[in-house]
Amino acid sequence: MASPYTTSTTSGSICPTGTRGRIIKTSFVGNARTGGVREIFGIDLPWLLDAFGDVESVTVQKDTISDLGLPYPDCVTLLLRHKGGVQGVLAADVVSRKAVRSFECFGDGIHLFWEGNPKALYEFKDGDKRFVNTYASFEHDSRYSDNVVENAYVDELTNFFGVLKGDEQPKWSFEKDLKAIELMDFIESH
């Protein structure tokens, strides 16, 4: 990126009132090694690192904002400074009543806002909010929130098979995964 930008990313996993106890006892949310906040970071950090580059510094704020009794903080907010000058905030929690995802990027000459689903990326230009088409079509399972689409998984598998055939270069690597995992480990240790 040529000039510094500021980003804001919010992710919250769904934890509906009637199923909270069951979710905690029977899913990854209740396990500190695989906790919901770590899963959110595992989803959001790789694309943030890919889009804005390596992180040179991070400030971590952790809190417990629920009575869920989780073995880890249920809300973590990060201030990330990327080596290219981009500064961003990433907030993740596992207590949302609705699965939430949003992203905003702004700086001199750019302002993008994503409202968490494939039909909701906008660019603000010359005072107007303009739709940005991200997918010609997309797959969505109605059992999930509107921000969960299957295209990312299909795209990853398509790329994987394209690499095996020798037709494509990998879009991701174990080295990139390791950087994201090391960053998650750092966050958890602070």
Side-chain angles (χ1 to χ4, degrees), residues 24 27-36 64 68-74 94:
I24 289 162
S27 76
F28 65 90
V29 175
N31 184 330
R33 281 188 30 242
T34 58
T64 297
L68 296 173
L70 296 172
Y72 58 88
D74 56 30
V94 295

Side-chain angles (χ1 to χ4, degrees), residues 11-42:
S11 291
S13 65
I14 188 166
C15 195
T17 304
T19 60
R20 289 166 65 124
R22 182 175 49 81
I23 286 173
I24 289 162
K25 291 180 181 119
T26 62
S27 76
F28 65 90
V29 175
N31 184 330
R33 281 188 30 242
T34 58
V37 171
R38 186 172 179 93
E39 176 165 325
I40 290 169
F41 288 152

Side-chain angles (χ1 to χ4, degrees), residues 107-125:
D108 190 23
I110 187 171
H111 193 157
L112 296 172
F113 183 81
W114 178 57
E115 296 173 340
N117 69 65
K119 299 182 288 184
L121 178 63
Y122 298 96
E123 175 182 23
F124 293 96
K125 196 168 194 170

Side-chain angles (χ1 to χ4, degrees), residues 12 21 24 68 79 103 108 114 142 155 160:
I24 289 162
L68 296 173
L79 176 60
F103 173 77
D108 190 23
W114 178 57
S142 62
D155 293 347
F160 176 74

Side-chain angles (χ1 to χ4, degrees), residues 9 15 28 101 161:
T9 308
C15 195
F28 65 90
R101 292 192 76 204
F161 289 118

Side-chain angles (χ1 to χ4, degrees), residues 130-152:
R130 299 178 185 174
F131 174 73
V132 177
N133 192 10
T134 55
Y135 290 103
S137 66
F138 60 90
E139 299 295 322
H140 172 70
D141 186 330
S142 62
R143 294 174 295 175
Y144 297 110
S145 178
D146 66 349
N147 64 14
V148 177
V149 295
E150 306 302 323
N151 293 60

